[in-house]
Amino acid sequence: ALAIAAHIRPTENSVSVDLSTQSLDVLRIDSQDRVFVQVRGPDGDLVAGTPALPHPPNGPVDGRSFYNTKIDGERVRVVALWVAHPRGPAIVQVAETYAKRDIMIREMLLGALLSELFIAAMAIALLWYGVGRGLEPLESLRNEIAARSPQDLRAVSTSGKPTELAPIVSALNALLGQLQSA
């Protein structure tokens, strides 16, 4: 829009674009998106480009406006640029379809999803490892008690056991001592 606006020349009643049709076509070349160009004079008459672009829905902010619309059923993002003219502003509009934007959004979402899945998998693996490692002493105590015969009522050794298991081992040893006394 800025490149085209730089080539707008005022005439007595309207404006003209001192770019050839081939030059305007070069500005519209894009490998992924369709680009539409429109230049309207101060009276709203079409000077160059496609008539399919509607007038901007809102006025300029700092001489330009951005809005979304549809052309031939395709969503487009439009920039409208107002160019000063003695009879009123001329409007240069350039619209582009959303192909590149959609590709960029998909790539960003895929990248974020992959990194979040990796983080979730790592958190699950660390949790699995941490819980397994934390319960290892309890499993060892269970195996030690399960390996005893019903007649073996001697106290369970507290050596090598974490301090968190000390109350359980102490209560179990007290019970075994009462059973042996009985």
Side-chain angles (χ1 to χ4, degrees), residues 13-155:
N13 293 329
S14 189
V15 293
S16 67
V17 180
D18 67 353
L19 288 172
S20 66
T21 306
Q22 292 86 4
S23 298
L24 282 173
D25 287 342
V26 166
L27 291 173
R28 293 178 45 203
I29 291 175
D30 192 308
S31 63
Q32 293 177 325
D33 280 307
R34 291 178 56 201
V35 178
F36 304 90
V37 174
Q38 181 188 80
V39 178
R40 291 195 178 270
D43 296 330
D45 54 322
L46 182 66
V47 175
T50 180
L53 282 169
H55 280 294
N58 46 11
V61 176
D62 295 330
R64 59 188 67 139
S65 174
F66 297 91
Y67 65 96
N68 299 317
T69 190
K70 286 188 175 185
I71 298 176
D72 300 331
E74 285 187 276
R75 293 179 317 134
V76 292
R77 180 74 172 157
V78 184
V79 59
L81 185 64
W82 278 259
V83 179
H85 185 274
R87 293 191 60 222
I91 301 174
V92 176
Q93 293 190 100
V94 178
E96 183 179 59
T97 57
Y98 275 81
K100 283 187 291 213
R101 284 179 172 83
D102 291 343
I103 290 169
M104 181 180 66
I105 288 169
R106 270 194 306 274
E107 288 174 354
M108 288 171 50
L109 287 175
L110 184 62
L113 178 66
L114 290 176
S115 65
E116 287 181 21
L117 285 175
F118 176 74
I119 290 170
M122 291 304 295
I124 289 170
L126 286 172
L127 183 66
W128 189 274
Y129 175 76
V131 168
R133 180 99 171 152
L135 293 177
E136 199 172 89
L138 194 56
E139 181 69 18
S140 173
L141 178 62
R142 185 191 72 81
N143 291 337
E144 183 180 334
I145 294 169
R148 290 179 170 217
S149 71
Q151 289 78 29
D152 187 0
L153 298 177
R154 59 192 163 87

